[in-house]
């Protein structure tokens, strides 16, 4: 294990981008095998090689730059999915709707009848059935 640690000194290691590539590669391998797509399977080799290359790379600045570019697209996507997941999870207890003025997503507890809602973003008041 010590030899491996010495080997990895000064090398970049793994980050979110490598992990995402790895997961994408595994999914594509699965699809490639399921539909017998040789070209796709070949492409996954390129992805896995890129993972190894990025992990072993000594050009840390370049790898960090790649990871930052990846995160710039990935983070908004992730928070969008997280929001949608939370809405689905809590939709039994809360009713979701958009503010008629600023389109901010709002929620109220279900089963309170018609209530006056004040948008937290633009302070618009409107009546909403809960
Ligand atoms: Zn609003």
């Amino acid at each position: 294990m010590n030899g491996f640690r010495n080997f990895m000194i000064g090398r970049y290691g793994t980050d979110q981008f490598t992990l995402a590539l790895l997961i994408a590669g595994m999914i594509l391998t699965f699809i490639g095998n399921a539909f017998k797509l040789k070209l796709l399977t070949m492409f996954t080799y390129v992805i896995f090689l890129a993972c190894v290359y990025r992990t072993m790379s000594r050009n840390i600045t370049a790898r960090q730059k790649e990871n930052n570019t990846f995160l710039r697209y990935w983070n908004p996507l992730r928070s969008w999915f997280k929001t949608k997941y939370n809405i689905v999870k809590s939709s039994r207890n809360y009713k979701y709707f958009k503010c008629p003025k600023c389109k901010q997503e709002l929620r109220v507890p279900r089963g309170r009848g018609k209530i006056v809602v004040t948008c937290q973003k633009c302070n618009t008041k409107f009546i909403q059935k809960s």
Side-chain angles (χ1 to χ4, degrees):
M1 208 57 211
N2 219 348
F4 180 71
R5 193 174 295 161
N6 285 337
F7 177 71
M8 286 307 289
I9 284 175
R11 293 177 195 269
Y12 184 58
T14 52
D15 60 8
Q16 293 95 328
F17 186 39
T18 301
L19 197 67
L21 283 176
L22 214 59
I23 291 168
M26 285 194 280
I27 292 168
L28 289 177
T29 303
F30 179 76
I31 294 170
N33 284 339
F35 296 99
K36 307 224 181 302
L37 303 168
K38 275 232 162 69
L39 212 68
L40 189 65
T41 312
M42 299 268 278
F43 179 63
T44 59
Y45 293 145
V46 178
I47 293 176
F48 289 131
L49 273 176
C51 288
V52 174
Y53 172 76
R54 295 193 77 250
T55 307
M56 299 300 154
S57 175
R58 289 184 189 277
N59 191 348
I60 290 166
T61 325
R63 302 293 85 80
Q64 279 174 340
K65 219 171 146 188
E66 288 166 6
N67 194 47
N68 286 340
T69 307
F70 166 72
L71 289 178
R72 200 160 51 233
Y73 292 101
W74 173 244
N75 282 339
L77 204 70
R78 194 182 66 170
S79 63
W80 184 85
F81 273 115
K82 215 171 169 183
T83 308
K84 293 297 167 201
Y85 172 75
N86 283 337
I87 287 174
V88 170
K89 213 174 70 178
S90 62
S91 62
R92 272 179 70 180
N93 301 323
Y94 291 95
K95 185 175 175 115
Y96 286 84
F97 51 91
K98 282 188 173 135
C99 168
K101 197 177 170 194
C102 71
K103 308 292 175 210
Q104 167 75 34
E105 191 120 33
L106 302 167
R107 71 170 195 183
V108 291
R110 281 188 185 277
R112 303 272 167 92
K114 279 187 181 173
I115 53 172
V116 177
V117 178
T118 309
C119 175
Q120 288 177 334
K121 200 173 162 191
C122 68
N123 277 326
T124 306
K125 283 186 168 56
F126 57 95
I127 292 170
Q128 173 70 40
K129 212 180 135 198
S130 65

